Amino acid sequence: MIKKTIIGILLLAAMAIIAINFFEEDAVPIDTNESTSPATAPDASLAEGLSQGQAAPDFTLTDQDGETVKLSDYRGKKVILNFWATWCPPCRAEMPHMQQFHKNNAGGDVEILAVNLTAQDNGDEAIRSFIDEFGLTFSIPMDETGSTAQTYQIRTVPTTFILNTKGEIAQKIVGPMDEQIMKDQTDSID
């Protein structure tokens, strides 16, 4: 009974976040058939920024295994760039879906980079425990200084950027996702 109540509360919180962000301008999907760059500026899409169609700002972080992760190294693949923390209930609800998506798409053209807000989190032990609890096997870059979260203007977690194969932002999602949302978002881009 308590477990069902907690799940119910998490789902209500997730729906509230989604409903609130539904009305925000940056939650509107991209029309991929419409050109957003002027004809006189063909390289405009190369500019880094957080708007849809712009190149996602590059970063270099160390992941949970001590490996260097550089966002630009993932060009040529679609990327689910997620920002999360262990203390975030919607993040806890989302992680099993992310792991299942990762497992079902092993060797595919989609990579998950789940950036932990390490500077705002509850320490290395809590992060490692969280990773173990959920059996997470995708890359988890650690934002130890908070600079990547600041660059991406992360105010709410989870927040996810869906990047196309060119490294451009195709969508921004504030709030938790499930496996179907991840599949739909990555299937709808090149």
Side-chain angles (χ1 to χ4, degrees), residues 86-87 117-118 120-127:
T86 62
W87 45 260
L117 303 182
T118 312
Q120 301 171 24
D121 216 324
N122 296 324
D124 288 340
E125 189 174 318
I127 297 165

Side-chain angles (χ1 to χ4, degrees), residues 15 57 128 131 170 178 181 185:
M15 288 189 297
R128 302 263 175 232
I131 292 168
D178 63 19
I181 293 171
Q185 291 295 320

